[in-house]
Amino acid sequence: MKIDDDYLDAFEDDIVRLSRRTYAEAGVPMYLVPEDLTGATPPPEPDAEGAALAELFEAVTRALEARNGPLSSRDIAHVLEVLADRHFLDHPFSELSQ
Amino acid sequence: MSAPTIRVVNYHLTPARNAATYDREFAALAARYAPVREDDLAEYLSTGRWPIGRDGIIPVFYNGYRNNYDVARPLLERHGLVGWFMAVTAYSSCPAKEQEAFAATRTLTTVPGEYADGRSALSWDELRALDGPHVVASHTRNHTKVELDDAARLKDEIVGSQEDFRRELGHPVRAFAWLFGGRYGENPEADRAVERAGYEFLFSNFHVQRLPSTAR
């Protein structure tokens, strides 16, 4: 997936906008990766939506690293927050607090 | 990210002044996703499929605030969602008049003047009422930063919290969220304490893990 400059600019604007939320009182959508460490079953495969999300996450993080250098875990959290805000619902989740 | 994902919405304080926002958020989430209980999460972690036929959503409430019970709980129930309430057990055990000082020394934010009696934490009666219709889980005993090589403090925060739940709820809780989001496998002392306490799920910044000891 190709991420162009316009997409990346808008993505970084969303990072800034969402970072200004009052985290102590805001609902913050987030994706968590499930891990079954019991060894009982092999890890499940992502469904089509999960696979598309994973591809988008990889593409965005690659593009952000190319633009800004290595990402910290905080940067990665911000990427996931933007993706979750945009994709949990049919509209940005953060619109509901406006 | 290459695996399936779990959708959570992380909340902390839910003051009444924001109730209309939480109502809209819960309504939108409930329209698209299914509520999740611990058995549903266990099945998803082992199969990658939600047992109820559509994707699940976990609204998580960190720190055990009283306004989660007063404001968020009735809205969750109006929309048929199951909240996961990650309580700080010593905060809930702390006398009301001492809770402001407790919070101030433990990276817990509160809403000034929110309650006349000074109690900002979930009481044990409220936690018992949540336990069943919703999920009660542990977010340590004190919500305080602990050096990761301090075995005694780790045990107090992780195992001690579970002891509090056993005493007050009459049973252990199944999920634990470590302060600042550490995951299983990063620190052997913490891992041993989490297993000794008997938790099944560990929530961290980027993962939900079902722990190896669950299979034993």
Side-chain angles (χ1 to χ4, degrees), chain B residues 173-191:
Chain B
V173 298
R174 294 170 67 179
F176 177 80
W178 187 226
L179 207 57
F180 310 120
R183 64 191 286 225
Y184 186 93
E186 289 180 352
N187 179 277
E189 286 288 357
D191 293 350

Side-chain angles (χ1 to χ4, degrees), chain B residues 131-150:
Chain B
D131 184 32
H134 300 277
V135 174
V136 173
S138 173
H139 189 35
T140 74
R141 182 178 249 174
N142 282 288
H143 203 271
T144 189
K145 185 167 173 57
V146 175
E147 295 302 323
L148 292 176
D149 59 355
D150 187 337

Side-chain angles (χ1 to χ4, degrees), chain A residues 23-25, chain B residues 11-15 61-73 85-88 91-92 99 102-103 106-111 114-115 119-123 126-127 130 139 143:
Chain A
Y23 274 82
E25 298 182 11
Chain B
Y11 292 89
H12 292 81
L13 289 163
T14 53
F61 298 85
Y62 284 98
N63 301 352
Y65 290 118
R66 179 180 180 178
N67 56 22
N68 298 160
Y69 185 88
D70 292 340
V71 178
R73 176 195 53 86
F85 294 87
M86 303 282 189
V88 176
Y91 188 25
S92 289
Q99 287 186 4
F102 183 100
R106 285 162 171 95
T107 64
L108 290 164
T109 303
T110 58
V111 180
E114 186 177 27
Y115 292 105
R119 180 169 68 83
S120 55
L122 289 167
S123 69
E126 288 163 348
L127 283 163
L130 290 168
H139 189 35
H143 203 271

Side-chain angles (χ1 to χ4, degrees), chain A residues 65-86:
Chain A
E65 286 189 323
R67 176 182 276 193
N68 302 324
L71 302 183
S72 66
S73 61
R74 189 172 182 79
D75 297 328
I76 290 169
H78 285 146
V79 170
L80 287 169
E81 283 181 11
V82 171
L83 292 175
D85 186 67
R86 291 181 176 187

Side-chain angles (χ1 to χ4, degrees), chain B residues 7-168:
Chain B
R7 294 173 183 84
V8 301
V9 183
N10 295 323
Y11 292 89
H12 292 81
L13 289 163
T14 53
R17 62 171 175 262
N18 298 338
T21 293
Y22 306 134
D23 192 32
R24 287 193 295 273
E25 291 174 352
F26 298 164
L29 293 169
R32 180 151 178 179
Y33 300 110
V36 176
R37 297 180 181 281
E38 289 147 311
D39 286 345
D40 303 323
L41 180 60
E43 182 165 342
Y44 180 75
L45 285 166
S46 59
T47 67
R49 291 184 300 277
W50 291 109
I52 29 196
R54 58 181 176 142
D55 290 350
I57 187 74
I58 306 180
V60 186
F61 298 85
Y62 284 98
N63 301 352
Y65 290 118
R66 179 180 180 178
N67 56 22
N68 298 160
Y69 185 88
D70 292 340
V71 178
R73 176 195 53 86
L75 297 173
L76 290 167
E77 291 173 0
R78 176 187 297 171
H79 297 294
L81 292 175
V82 172
W84 289 51
F85 294 87
M86 303 282 189
V88 176
T89 55
Y91 188 25
S92 289
S93 297
C94 183
K97 293 195 181 321
E98 297 171 22
Q99 287 186 4
E100 185 178 341
F102 183 100
T105 55
R106 285 162 171 95
T107 64
L108 290 164
T109 303
T110 58
V111 180
E114 186 177 27
Y115 292 105
D117 65 1
R119 180 169 68 83
S120 55
L122 289 167
S123 69
W124 281 107
D125 280 343
E126 288 163 348
L127 283 163
R128 281 186 281 273
L130 290 168
D131 184 32
H134 300 277
V135 174
V136 173
S138 173
H139 189 35
T140 74
R141 182 178 249 174
N142 282 288
H143 203 271
T144 189
K145 185 167 173 57
V146 175
E147 295 302 323
L148 292 176
D149 59 355
D150 187 337
R153 294 286 304 282
L154 285 170
K155 176 172 172 280
D156 186 50
E157 291 299 319
I158 298 170
V159 181
S161 173
Q162 184 70 292
E163 290 168 353
D164 295 340
F165 282 116
R166 284 180 194 274
R167 184 188 67 245
E168 297 290 344

Side-chain angles (χ1 to χ4, degrees), chain A residues 24-38 41 44 46 49 54 58 73 80 88-90 96, chain B residues 1 4-8 10-13 17-18 22 24 32-33 45-46 48 183 205-211:
Chain A
E25 298 182 11
V28 178
M30 177 59 79
Y31 293 106
L32 299 180
V33 175
E35 285 186 317
D36 186 357
L37 303 178
T38 65
T41 53
E49 186 181 346
E58 296 294 338
S73 61
L80 287 169
F88 263 38
L89 303 172
D90 296 330
L96 297 169
Chain B
M1 184 195 293
T5 55
I6 290 176
R7 294 173 183 84
V8 301
N10 295 323
Y11 292 89
H12 292 81
L13 289 163
R17 62 171 175 262
N18 298 338
Y22 306 134
R24 287 193 295 273
R32 180 151 178 179
Y33 300 110
L45 285 166
S46 59
R183 64 191 286 225
N205 284 345
F206 302 123
H207 295 81
V208 178
Q209 297 168 301
R210 191 167 180 224
L211 301 178

